[in-house]
Amino acid sequence: MDNNPRIAPARAAKITILPTAEEASQFVAERLVTLVQAKPACRLGLATGQTPRRVYAKLVAAVQEGKVSFAEVETINLDEYCGLGQSHLDSFAAYMHRELFSGAGFDPSKINLIDGAAADETAEAARYAALVRSRPADLQLLGIGTNGHIGFNEPGSPATSRVRVVELSQETLDANQPTLLELDRVPKHAITMGIADILDAREIVVLATGTAKAEAIRKSLSGQQDEACPASLLGAHGNVHWVLDEGAAKLL
């Protein structure tokens, strides 16, 4: 671990608290639609997991209603399990196609995903790192783990970290176990964008819902940037919008 991370002074966070997860998801979906309408060829950084599912369903609906087109949008994804090819049901690549890409008309040539089944994981991380750094995301969508992780940047991840292979914490393994469709156990390693990659985005939107996220949200928004709570490092960024439901915000 880098013992001398370059952590910028904390900046005031923009926080929107809505009554329900449904309303919070609608708020985030509308922000994404507004961005794409204004900049059709933007680059979106996308997240997986339970939290963004509602957002993606609303984006698909917006396309079907003729409100927006994602045909020119380029995407990058935060992370992927090691050992899973893009057709594996439990891969994040498959999740993205299932939840968003297939229904929202994304151009396959503009979708950038990590190859979790790459024979050389370090080389794949290097390839993806170069791609991520070639153009900053116009907006990076994030969720947050109960231990404060963003992407698969677990507690202790340096603020200067870039795309790399990581070992997942037991808390993360336990949290992701119920989401599996085919595997018996969650893979123990993944390739993830680093904290520094996330901070390169022009705009960051963090969506958090449910009381299970409340303590992580409290730590993240305490004003103290601490690698023990990776999401707190977002305080170094000047354009972060936290969108919470009342459950996630209950300790603020």
Side-chain angles (χ1 to χ4, degrees):
M1 179 176 135
D2 185 349
N3 292 319
N4 297 292
R6 295 186 295 277
I7 299 179
R11 306 182 189 185
K14 184 177 182 180
I15 305 168
T16 298
I17 301 171
L18 294 157
T20 67
E22 191 72 21
E23 289 167 282
S25 300
Q26 181 64 40
F27 185 96
V28 172
E30 289 174 0
R31 173 64 196 118
L32 288 165
V33 167
T34 298
L35 171 61
V36 175
Q37 288 172 335
K39 188 176 182 180
C42 65
R43 176 181 261 197
L44 295 181
L46 300 174
T48 55
Q50 296 296 322
T51 304
R53 273 201 165 98
R54 287 188 182 93
V55 174
Y56 295 156
K58 294 177 187 303
L59 294 181
V60 171
V63 170
Q64 293 172 345
E65 294 164 8
K67 295 179 179 178
V68 67
S69 169
F70 289 96
E72 296 180 55
V73 172
E74 183 188 14
T75 70
I76 53 175
N77 258 68
L78 276 171
D79 42 30
E80 182 60 272
Y81 290 128
C82 288
L84 300 190
Q86 295 186 6
S87 62
H88 194 289
L89 290 179
D90 288 315
S91 72
F92 291 151
Y95 168 104
M96 290 305 307
H97 283 285
R98 191 166 58 239
E99 301 293 334
L100 180 62
F101 294 153
S102 295
F106 282 77
D107 180 345
S109 71
K110 298 181 184 299
I111 295 170
N112 296 300
L113 296 164
I114 299 167
D115 181 6
D120 187 335
E121 294 166 353
T122 301
E124 174 60 11
R127 178 197 71 83
Y128 200 69
L131 185 149
V132 167
R133 296 193 73 176
S134 68
R135 177 188 175 192
D138 292 283
L139 186 151
Q140 175 64 60
L141 176 62
L142 297 175
I144 181 173
T146 55
N147 63 1
H149 76 236
I150 47 177
F152 273 141
N153 294 284
E154 299 282 22
S157 294
T160 54
S161 59
R162 294 285 180 180
V163 179
R164 67 206 186 283
V165 179
V166 296
E167 182 175 357
L168 304 183
S169 70
Q170 190 59 51
E171 186 170 349
T172 296
L173 295 174
D174 292 343
N176 289 6
Q177 184 69 30
T179 69
L180 296 179
L181 299 175
E182 189 173 358
L183 293 173
D184 294 326
R185 294 183 181 179
V186 178
K188 292 184 177 182
H189 293 86
I191 296 174
T192 186
M193 285 169 53
I195 301 292
D197 297 308
I198 291 169
L199 292 175
D200 281 343
R202 293 188 173 93
E203 175 182 356
I204 298 172
V205 175
V206 187
L207 174 63
T209 60
T211 57
K213 303 295 178 69
E215 178 61 16
I217 293 297
R218 183 191 69 77
K219 290 179 179 178
S220 299
L221 294 173
S222 68
Q224 299 296 316
Q225 294 176 60
D226 185 350
E227 290 175 357
C229 179
S232 70
L233 301 177
L234 297 175
H237 196 284
N239 189 15
V240 182
H241 193 164
W242 296 77
V243 183
L244 317 172
D245 71 356
E246 289 183 352
K250 76 172 188 174
L251 298 180
L252 296 181

